[in-house]
Amino acid sequence: MPVDLVSALYRSMQRMRQFELKIQHTYRSGVMPGFIHLYVGEEAVAAGVCAHLSKDDYVTSTHRGHGHALAKGVPVNEAFAEIWGKPSGINGGRGGSMHIYDPACGFLGTNGIVAAGIPIATGAAMATALRGDGHVAVSFFGDGAVNNCAFHEGINLAAALLLPVVFVCENNLYATETPFHRVTKNTNVSTRGAAYGIPGIRIDGNDVLEVHRVAGEAIARARAGEGPTLIECETYRPLGHFEGDPGTGYRSKDEIAEWKLRDPIDRLAKNAVQSGAMKEAELLKIEREVELEIEAAYEFAKASPEADPATVTHFVYA
Amino acid sequence: MPVDLVSALYRSMQRMRQFELKIQHTYRSGVMPGFIHLYVGEEAVAAGVCAHLSKDDYVTSTHRGHGHALAKGVPVNEAFAEIWGKPSGINGGRGGSMHIYDPACGFLGTNGIVAAGIPIATGAAMATALRGDGHVAVSFFGDGAVNNCAFHEGINLAAALLLPVVFVCENNLYATETPFHRVTKNTNVSTRGAAYGIPGIRIDGNDVLEVHRVAGEAIARARAGEGPTLIECETYRPLGHFEGDPGTGYRSKDEIAEWKLRDPIDRLAKNAVQSGAMKEAELLKIEREVELEIEAAYEFAKASPEADPATVTHFVYA
Amino acid sequence: MPEDRSIQYVEASVEGLQEEMRLNSSVFYIGQGIGARGGNFKQSKGLWEEFGDKRVRDMPISELGQVGMGVGAAMAGARPVVDIVFLDMIMEAMGQIVEQAATIHYTSNGKIKVPLVVRAAMGSARCTGPHHSRCFYSWFAHIPGLKVVLPSSATDVKGLMKTAIRDDGPVIFIEHKFFYNKKGPVPTGEFTIPFGQANVCRKGKDVTILAMSLMVWHAMDAAAQLEKEGISVEVIDPRTIVPFDEQTLLESVHKTGRLLIVDEAQSFCGFSAEAAAMVASKAFDSLDAPVSRLGALHTPHPFNPVLEAAMLPSVDAIVTEVRRLVAS
Amino acid sequence: MPEDRSIQYVEASVEGLQEEMRLNSSVFYIGQGIGARGGNFKQSKGLWEEFGDKRVRDMPISELGQVGMGVGAAMAGARPVVDIVFLDMIMEAMGQIVEQAATIHYTSNGKIKVPLVVRAAMGSARCTGPHHSRCFYSWFAHIPGLKVVLPSSATDVKGLMKTAIRDDGPVIFIEHKFFYNKKGPVPTGEFTIPFGQANVCRKGKDVTILAMSLMVWHAMDAAAQLEKEGISVEVIDPRTIVPFDEQTLLESVHKTGRLLIVDEAQSFCGFSAEAAAMVASKAFDSLDAPVSRLGALHTPHPFNPVLEAAMLPSVDAIVTEVRRLVAS
Ligand SMILES: Cc1ncc(C[n+]2csc(CCOP(=O)(O)OP(=O)(O)O)c2C)c(N)n1
Ligand SMILES: Cc1ncc(C[n+]2csc(CCOP(=O)(O)OP(=O)(O)O)c2C)c(N)n1
Ligand SMILES: [Mg+2]
Ligand SMILES: [Mg+2]
């Protein structure tokens, strides 16, 4: 286990986890508008994939996209403020949780529309291919997106044009309260790659090193001009679908408990210590550093001035 | 070879062929409005599939749907008149070639929108399943439809709900002038069934007996409640995409000539005579009978009164 | 009608569905999360338990497929109700609605009916943002063949839901998120409310306000305030914008000579433009002042609460605009 | 400008595209049949030969995917032109246009621009029927963030195409099928036409006609006939309905006191309702008669030629309506 990689992945996942828990805490205090979907428990996917991306590569994300945003490099302060709807947010608080955009790091948006980010990623890949600059696009989406028309056309087109894009499905078994298997005949998402003539692979999405390895290969293939890959990451959402949903009514306590044992952050920590790659103390140090970072982000967002109503008509037309 | 079946399939294909050639002739004379897409060369698909359907089963069709309409039982006279835009048409000439509807025989429409008929067939199947009356729905569509979002959602939903519907792709290698392989990575349509967890099979779409056999199995499965099947019929469009397109600019003369050798009607005739199932004379008799039928249809349509402008506002709201 | 009960808008809506499903076995209901979950907004509570998977079916995230299925099922003799939940999510289904559902009865020469109800919830509710707040009902009204329903009370939502399900053509049935958990009086027992009959929510003589959905409530609040200033406001809710009850509106304007149209949607090229143009033409000589339109600002929905409030028509803005109108 | 040549509308349109593609290597063009085939309407003739697969790419029948790709490519720094060919086929792409393209610049606080041109052809042309004739440009105008272009001449289509490609936001560029093979004068050499500048096609003093796209031609024919009767008609073509040049129209109405709006689309809840409402309000005291709207009948497009003719606004109908209007 390469120490630098392990500590980087650990820090990345800690950042997402602590960020989300702080958002949750703040939201529950009643000061945050709108509704939010937390990424807790799925951090290995964003961390493992985005570790291979530079700020010039592109990512499209989902309604559950805070983790993707952080992993791709959206500044923690501005991300926190955005979700809070503050003018100091990365988009001035005009977008909020489901509309986070940061071109400075190639982050082409969380998205309120399921699967909408898939063809958008294909398009971003087309733009880099046109420039021939060797960059790639990655689209994250859930199991729910697989049954949507945009999944079909977005991936099918990318395959036809052999574009540098990687499609990453976060299969957490549910779309809101609906089990994937209740509304889908073929629940093995990875096998759908064949329909489009591209490789499809299913992996343990809570094993960050596995995600990192497989994503690395797919991204390398994309950069080499060998076209798209579909990666299905099996993962789970221990919390509710959105903040406010207890997340229990439609799932057994055992199922939730069982998946908590597979928490990606705990697993990497255990793994790292057992393999001797890192010491407890080193991991703890990272955890503490991230804590300060998140605390500062909260303070940054909290301190933001209120919005000026006059700006409501800005930026309608470019 | 069961004689009754052979002669029925031969008559059905002859009817489609002669109908289309008469439409072509009439259109070229300049009296027909709009634009039309002829089914010539693909008759084996509609004939083989529809031979298994009763008037209580449902069919959805395409822009190239005259053959499907006739095979499903739309009266020849009213079909001809409709395509001609005459008030004596099955829909009073309000629809024309791409909008032929006849509930009396379960024909839910040709369609101007590629792939739109696919989810509609799934819905018709849902209605019969709800009534539990044991009927099925069949959706015909082209290779072009496979790349469309409605293909994905229509089939995926039918699979999830295990509905009695059969999806029949008429893969004639081109969508307008665009070769399927130019815009599609995986050109084996039948393999896409697996993505939806349903059987997919590729067959010679110009062999009417093969189509009849395979469609029979699929329709039986559907009636038995075993869910949808995707059948890819390899066929060809010897004429242009629409009347007016020479159909040559984007295809080699050899390719066209080679496919003409595989003409489904000639093949059945040859086959029937060689196997001794039918005599030349018997086939010729059918051909002549159909000729009279088509001639009568032309006269029927020609004799129609003109439309009353006052009817333009009828039937906007049910 | 027997005396009323006070129940939630969403409960009244479910009652309408439930009663029609009991009356007619060809009615079925599909949508995301409307099964065991009982609906994101509780808008299907109890239906799955009563009617089971066969008639109340959870859907994958396939709006195009859902509506397409609805069209096909309706053509094949069923009476589907397709729930889109958030109206914003209907976009991919637009082709099935506009090209198929809306045209088939016409082009089939009346041979095929498409008794399809597309149900969805629209509007802003505490910063739902650009992808969960739109009110583009005018799109449907622009398309021949579609009826468009905008119920603004518990009684209306039940009575209109029953009428929608019994209608032989495609009906776009749009509730408002904000209404769902609000209580209101609903008659006991069987009743329906016809399409094309506006509701004069409040009688007045100085100015007429035409408002739809949530804006009806805002208009009523504004009217109550204005009454204290001695301004008498008549508030009209069309309830269905297709068919549109021109008569009731024109009679009111002939009386008041002044019209304000309040619309949660942007008014540019929308229904409030239509109503304004219609009145300006058909009540040309009765108008004492130009018709005034108060719609959402012509911007996407901002997430920030201050900006969202600035974007949407408010009770205060209505009051101010009415004052200006009567003074002019 | 140097003296004009007479070339086809479609040739002028291609020239605009071609010139911009030569000027800016980030412009690319995708659509069905626009490659080797040169376009269903010859609307891409020669481009594939010059720019190759990389910048001129045939697409499968994936309108949603095409437009979604356009959105993503535009966000990533390219300037895509996405050809839908028949406007009717844009339905499945509506979500990408409305929820994504139209909102991203706004919600990103101006950080991301979406310089996307969506090109399509609309309108009736000898019985194209219900699925190939619609003119629902008002939908786009109703959505904040989208610009909407309706070129009615060879010169306009070239100049506006160049402006559309240079625009930093999403532009819906709608040509008319009927125009493509019609010749018209086009200036030689470089020129652009700005958005939001109406074209006064004909000066007059008795009545103003506002018309879009093909209806501009009908209006000009009607005006020529009416002149013989001594009725002087001013014909105004907005050219872009977003941005909408209100000033030019208002000045004309202040002068004539009478306005007829001619629209190939149904006028209910559409742009002609908007223009009528705007004028009725802002020229309240100048109007000598109610604004009149002549749109398509509120029906789907029938295939039968007699019915289609009855459904669409004709030169005769315009003449008759203008006579009535000046007499009133
Ligand atoms: C096109 C569309 N339909 C419906 C919704 C409402 N919705 C929001 S999140 C969600 C579930 C998404 O499930 P999945 O894709 O598996 O992502 P997860 O929430 O599990 O991470 C739904 C149905 C939407 N946002 N977009
Ligand atoms: C959604 C949609 N996009 C584009 C078109 C224009 N169009 C009409 S037919 C056709 C080609 C269809 O090809 P295919 O499905 O293979 O059927 P074929 O013509 O080969 O029988 C196209 C692109 C359309 N009718 N619908
Ligand atoms: Mg999920
Ligand atoms: Mg084909």
Side-chain angles (χ1 to χ4, degrees):
Chain A
M1 278 199 197
V3 177
D4 294 357
L5 174 64
V6 172
S7 81
L9 292 173
Y10 188 75
R11 182 180 299 274
S12 172
M13 291 197 291
Q14 274 291 344
R15 183 178 289 123
M16 293 183 238
R17 175 69 54 92
Q18 293 190 42
F19 182 91
E20 292 294 61
L21 294 177
K22 188 69 180 182
I23 290 281
Q24 178 183 53
H25 181 267
T26 311
Y27 187 86
R28 289 184 175 179
S29 76
V31 299
M32 269 188 183
F35 49 108
I36 54 172
H37 308 83
L38 300 176
Y39 195 62
V40 170
E42 309 186 22
E43 296 89 350
V45 180
V49 172
C50 294
H52 297 283
L53 305 176
S54 84
K55 69 175 202 355
D56 298 324
D57 296 311
Y58 298 102
V59 159
T60 67
S61 168
T62 69
H63 58 286
R64 197 177 303 288
H66 304 168
H68 308 132
L70 296 183
K72 189 61 173 61
V74 178
V76 179
N77 288 0
E78 286 73 10
F80 204 111
E82 185 57 36
I83 293 161
W84 201 337
K86 300 282 193 158
S88 62
I90 191 78
N91 307 120
R94 299 163 81 91
S97 171
M98 289 189 277
H99 309 274
I100 301 170
Y101 302 92
D102 187 3
C105 64
F107 190 71
L108 300 187
T110 53
N111 212 309
I113 311 296
V114 166
I118 297 175
I120 292 174
T122 298
M126 176 122 182
T128 90
L130 185 68
R131 290 191 294 263
D133 57 17
H135 298 306
V136 300
V138 173
S139 184
F140 294 97
F141 52 88
D143 47 284
V146 172
N147 294 320
N148 187 271
C149 50
F151 168 91
H152 182 67
E153 294 198 5
I155 296 181
N156 191 57
L157 266 170
L161 302 182
L162 214 72
L163 292 172
V165 51
V166 177
F167 301 103
V168 180
C169 177
E170 301 174 317
N171 185 351
N172 61 9
L173 307 180
Y174 295 85
T176 64
E177 308 197 357
T178 309
F180 191 44
H181 67 79
R182 273 271 300 159
V183 293
T184 318
K185 180 86 188 303
N186 170 23
T187 55
N188 184 323
V189 175
S190 64
T191 61
R192 298 193 183 217
Y196 306 110
I198 65 170
I201 175 167
R202 169 182 256 179
I203 60 174
D204 178 347
N206 283 17
D207 178 344
V208 68
L209 293 170
E210 174 76 351
V211 172
H212 182 266
R213 187 181 60 74
V214 172
E217 290 165 12
I219 290 166
R221 284 187 65 253
R223 293 199 201 277
E226 291 162 33
T229 305
L230 173 61
I231 303 174
E232 174 185 14
C233 300
E234 295 187 281
T235 183
Y236 198 75
R237 158 176 61 74
L239 302 179
H241 168 63
F242 59 91
E243 207 25 54
D245 161 28
T248 49
Y250 48 97
R251 310 185 298 186
S252 72
K253 299 239 174 316
D254 297 354
E255 179 181 298
I256 299 170
E258 189 233 291
W259 273 94
K260 282 201 172 133
L261 297 178
R262 299 173 54 182
D263 182 90
I265 298 180
D266 298 349
R267 274 168 72 181
L268 180 64
K270 196 141 154 289
N271 207 322
V273 173
Q274 281 175 351
S275 68
M278 291 183 74
K279 300 205 176 45
E280 289 275 11
E282 295 172 311
L283 295 171
L284 214 60
K285 180 158 173 299
I286 293 174
E287 205 174 324
R288 294 281 163 277
E289 287 165 4
V290 171
E291 255 171 54
L292 299 177
E293 203 184 336
I294 300 302
E295 201 44 51
Y298 169 82
E299 293 303 336
F300 171 87
K302 187 152 172 283
S304 172
E306 229 340 318
D308 169 6
T311 62
V312 68
T313 53
H314 295 180
F315 305 124
V316 177
Y317 296 96
Chain B
M1 281 198 195
V3 177
D4 294 358
L5 175 64
V6 173
S7 81
L9 292 174
Y10 188 75
R11 182 180 300 273
S12 172
M13 290 196 292
Q14 274 290 346
R15 183 178 289 124
M16 293 184 239
R17 175 69 54 92
Q18 293 190 41
F19 181 90
E20 292 293 61
L21 293 177
K22 187 69 179 182
I23 290 282
Q24 178 183 53
H25 182 267
T26 312
Y27 187 87
R28 289 184 175 179
S29 76
V31 298
M32 269 188 183
F35 49 109
I36 55 173
H37 308 83
L38 299 175
Y39 195 61
V40 170
E42 310 187 22
E43 297 89 350
V45 180
V49 172
C50 294
H52 297 283
L53 305 177
S54 85
K55 68 174 200 359
D56 297 324
D57 296 311
Y58 298 102
V59 158
T60 67
S61 168
T62 68
H63 58 285
R64 196 176 303 287
H66 304 168
H68 308 132
L70 296 183
K72 189 63 175 60
V74 178
V76 180
N77 289 359
E78 285 74 9
F80 204 110
E82 185 58 35
I83 293 161
W84 201 338
K86 301 280 194 158
S88 62
I90 190 78
N91 307 120
R94 300 163 81 90
S97 171
M98 289 188 277
H99 309 275
I100 301 171
Y101 302 92
D102 187 4
C105 63
F107 191 71
L108 301 187
T110 53
N111 212 311
I113 311 295
V114 165
I118 298 175
I120 291 174
T122 298
M126 176 122 184
T128 92
L130 185 68
R131 288 191 295 264
D133 57 18
H135 298 305
V136 300
V138 173
S139 183
F140 294 97
F141 52 88
D143 48 284
V146 171
N147 294 320
N148 188 270
C149 50
F151 168 91
H152 182 68
E153 294 197 7
I155 297 182
N156 192 56
L157 266 170
L161 302 181
L162 212 72
L163 292 171
V165 51
V166 177
F167 301 103
V168 180
C169 177
E170 301 175 318
N171 185 350
N172 60 10
L173 306 180
Y174 295 85
T176 64
E177 307 197 358
T178 308
F180 191 44
H181 66 81
R182 272 271 301 160
V183 293
T184 318
K185 180 87 187 303
N186 170 23
T187 55
N188 184 323
V189 175
S190 65
T191 60
R192 297 193 183 216
Y196 307 110
I198 65 170
I201 175 168
R202 169 182 254 179
I203 61 174
D204 178 347
N206 283 17
D207 177 344
V208 68
L209 293 170
E210 174 75 351
V211 172
H212 181 267
R213 188 181 59 74
V214 171
E217 289 166 11
I219 290 165
R221 284 187 65 253
R223 292 198 202 277
E226 290 162 34
T229 305
L230 172 61
I231 303 174
E232 174 185 13
C233 301
E234 294 186 281
T235 183
Y236 197 74
R237 157 174 65 71
L239 302 179
H241 168 63
F242 59 90
E243 211 18 58
D245 162 28
T248 50
Y250 48 98
R251 311 185 298 186
S252 73
K253 297 240 175 317
D254 296 356
E255 179 181 298
I256 298 169
E258 189 233 291
W259 275 95
K260 282 204 171 130
L261 297 178
R262 299 173 55 183
D263 182 273
I265 298 180
D266 297 349
R267 273 169 72 182
L268 180 64
K270 194 143 157 284
N271 207 322
V273 173
Q274 282 176 349
S275 69
M278 293 182 74
K279 299 203 178 49
E280 288 274 12
E282 294 172 311
L283 296 171
L284 213 60
K285 180 158 174 301
I286 292 173
E287 204 174 324
R288 294 281 164 276
E289 286 164 6
V290 171
E291 255 172 54
L292 299 177
E293 203 184 337
I294 301 303
E295 202 43 52
Y298 169 83
E299 294 301 337
F300 170 87
K302 186 151 172 285
S304 172
E306 227 342 317
D308 169 6
T311 62
V312 68
T313 53
H314 295 180
F315 305 123
V316 177
Y317 295 96
Chain C
M1 303 181 189
E3 92 287 351
D4 294 358
R5 310 151 292 151
S6 171
I7 61 174
Q8 289 182 342
Y9 179 96
V10 69
E11 291 167 339
S13 186
V14 172
E15 270 188 14
L17 251 164
Q18 186 178 39
E19 288 177 14
E20 293 307 301
M21 290 185 78
R22 287 175 180 172
L23 283 170
N24 186 339
S25 64
S26 66
V27 178
F28 70 88
Y29 181 45
I30 59 175
Q32 292 162 38
I34 55 89
R37 180 183 181 190
N40 188 53
F41 303 111
K42 300 193 168 20
Q43 80 274 25
S44 63
K45 195 155 179 293
L47 297 178
W48 181 77
E49 289 76 358
E50 176 171 354
F51 301 102
D53 257 348
K54 210 152 180 191
R55 293 181 63 195
V56 177
R57 192 69 161 86
D58 271 328
M59 287 283 119
I61 305 173
S62 310
E63 286 79 7
L64 188 172
Q66 272 169 244
V67 174
M69 273 176 66
V71 172
M75 293 173 82
R79 303 185 84 83
V81 178
V82 178
D83 196 334
I84 299 293
V85 190
F86 286 92
L87 179 64
D88 311 69
M89 309 311 162
I90 206 168
M91 289 287 167
E92 280 69 34
M94 214 49 87
Q96 288 290 333
I97 293 171
V98 170
E99 318 270 26
Q100 310 298 328
T103 65
I104 287 169
H105 185 250
Y106 185 82
T107 44
S108 73
N109 209 23
K111 280 190 171 174
I112 296 187
K113 295 191 179 342
V114 185
L116 166 69
V117 177
V118 175
R119 180 191 192 188
M122 73 173 188
S124 299
R126 188 169 185 269
C127 306
T128 37
H131 288 172
H132 294 79
S133 304
R134 281 189 197 269
C135 301
F136 49 98
Y137 42 76
S138 298
W139 275 21
F140 303 104
H142 186 53
I143 301 299
L146 302 174
K147 293 175 182 155
V148 184
V149 187
L150 297 168
S152 71
S153 76
T155 296
D156 286 356
V157 79
K158 178 173 179 178
L160 291 166
M161 173 65 83
K162 289 165 70 71
T163 302
I165 293 172
R166 295 178 190 189
D167 194 278
D168 279 336
V171 176
I172 311 298
F173 193 90
I174 306 177
E175 293 157 286
H176 198 293
K177 289 180 208 83
F178 176 85
F179 286 147
Y180 278 129
N181 62 2
K182 305 293 179 293
K183 287 194 160 191
V186 176
T188 322
E190 168 75 19
F191 71 95
T192 61
I193 293 173
F195 287 174
Q197 221 171 78
N199 182 17
V200 181
C201 306
R202 179 189 176 107
K203 289 238 156 258
K205 53 182 193 15
D206 300 331
V207 56
T208 303
I209 296 182
L210 177 72
M212 289 70 65
S213 195
L214 180 58
M215 295 303 110
V216 175
W217 292 35
H218 286 10
M220 292 298 281
D221 292 349
Q225 278 190 42
L226 289 157
E227 186 175 38
K228 303 196 194 82
E229 307 173 14
I231 300 175
S232 161
V233 179
E234 183 146 302
V235 177
I236 295 177
D237 172 4
R239 297 200 284 202
T240 62
I241 61 172
V242 181
F244 176 30
D245 179 358
E246 295 189 353
Q247 218 37 56
T248 301
L249 178 59
L250 286 169
E251 279 160 19
S252 177
V253 174
H254 289 317
K255 177 177 66 180
T256 62
R258 289 178 161 76
L259 173 62
L260 168 63
I261 301 166
V262 187
D263 192 342
E264 186 174 340
Q266 292 80 3
S267 81
F268 190 82
C269 291
F271 176 72
S272 29
E274 178 61 39
M278 187 278 288
V279 168
S281 163
K282 296 189 177 172
F284 190 67
D285 300 318
S286 309
L287 282 174
D288 301 320
V291 175
S292 170
R293 291 183 279 164
L294 181 62
L297 294 180
H298 199 69
T299 78
H301 286 76
F303 173 71
N304 173 279
V306 173
L307 301 186
E308 187 192 39
M311 183 235 181
L312 298 169
S314 65
V315 174
D316 288 354
I318 297 170
V319 168
T320 309
E321 183 56 19
V322 168
R323 286 198 194 115
R324 193 196 59 71
L325 200 53
V326 289
S328 68
Chain D
M1 303 183 190
E3 93 287 350
D4 294 358
R5 310 151 293 152
S6 172
I7 61 173
Q8 289 182 342
Y9 180 94
V10 68
E11 291 167 338
S13 186
V14 171
E15 270 189 12
L17 252 165
Q18 185 178 41
E19 288 177 12
E20 293 307 301
M21 290 185 78
R22 287 175 181 172
L23 283 170
N24 186 341
S25 63
S26 66
V27 178
F28 70 88
Y29 181 46
I30 60 176
Q32 293 161 38
I34 56 89
R37 179 183 182 189
N40 188 54
F41 303 111
K42 300 194 170 18
Q43 80 274 24
S44 62
K45 196 155 179 292
L47 297 178
W48 181 75
E49 289 76 359
E50 175 171 354
F51 301 103
D53 257 348
K54 207 147 185 199
R55 293 181 62 193
V56 177
R57 192 67 162 85
D58 271 329
M59 286 283 119
I61 305 173
S62 311
E63 287 78 6
L64 188 172
Q66 270 169 246
V67 174
M69 273 176 66
V71 173
M75 292 173 82
R79 304 185 84 84
V81 178
V82 179
D83 196 335
I84 300 292
V85 191
F86 286 92
L87 179 64
D88 311 69
M89 309 311 163
I90 206 168
M91 289 287 168
E92 280 69 34
M94 216 47 90
Q96 287 291 332
I97 293 171
V98 170
E99 318 270 26
Q100 310 298 327
T103 65
I104 287 168
H105 185 250
Y106 185 82
T107 44
S108 72
N109 210 23
K111 280 191 169 173
I112 296 187
K113 295 191 178 345
V114 186
L116 167 69
V117 176
V118 175
R119 180 190 192 188
M122 73 172 189
S124 299
R126 189 167 185 268
C127 305
T128 37
H131 289 172
H132 294 78
S133 304
R134 281 190 197 269
C135 302
F136 50 98
Y137 42 77
S138 298
W139 275 21
F140 304 102
H142 187 52
I143 301 299
L146 303 174
K147 293 176 182 154
V148 184
V149 187
L150 298 168
S152 71
S153 76
T155 296
D156 286 357
V157 78
K158 177 173 179 179
L160 291 166
M161 173 65 84
K162 288 164 70 72
T163 302
I165 293 172
R166 295 179 190 189
D167 193 278
D168 279 335
V171 176
I172 311 298
F173 193 91
I174 307 177
E175 294 156 286
H176 197 293
K177 289 181 207 80
F178 176 85
F179 286 148
Y180 277 129
N181 61 3
K182 305 293 179 297
K183 286 196 162 190
V186 175
T188 322
E190 168 74 20
F191 71 95
T192 61
I193 293 172
F195 288 173
Q197 222 172 76
N199 182 18
V200 181
C201 307
R202 179 190 177 106
K203 287 238 156 259
K205 54 183 193 12
D206 300 331
V207 56
T208 302
I209 296 182
L210 177 72
M212 288 70 65
S213 195
L214 179 58
M215 295 304 110
V216 175
W217 291 34
H218 286 10
M220 291 299 281
D221 292 349
Q225 278 191 42
L226 289 157
E227 185 175 38
K228 303 197 194 82
E229 306 172 16
I231 300 175
S232 161
V233 179
E234 182 147 304
V235 177
I236 294 178
D237 171 3
R239 298 200 283 201
T240 61
I241 61 171
V242 180
F244 176 30
D245 179 357
E246 295 189 352
Q247 217 38 54
T248 301
L249 177 60
L250 285 170
E251 280 160 16
S252 177
V253 174
H254 289 316
K255 178 176 64 179
T256 62
R258 289 179 161 77
L259 173 62
L260 169 63
I261 301 165
V262 186
D263 193 342
E264 185 174 342
Q266 291 81 4
S267 80
F268 190 80
C269 290
F271 176 73
S272 31
E274 178 60 39
M278 186 279 289
V279 168
S281 163
K282 297 190 178 173
F284 190 68
D285 299 318
S286 308
L287 283 173
D288 301 320
V291 174
S292 170
R293 290 183 279 164
L294 181 62
L297 294 180
H298 199 69
T299 78
H301 287 77
F303 173 71
N304 173 279
V306 174
L307 300 186
E308 188 193 38
M311 183 236 181
L312 297 169
S314 66
V315 174
D316 288 354
I318 297 170
V319 167
T320 310
E321 183 56 19
V322 169
R323 288 199 193 111
R324 192 195 60 71
L325 200 53
V326 289
S328 66

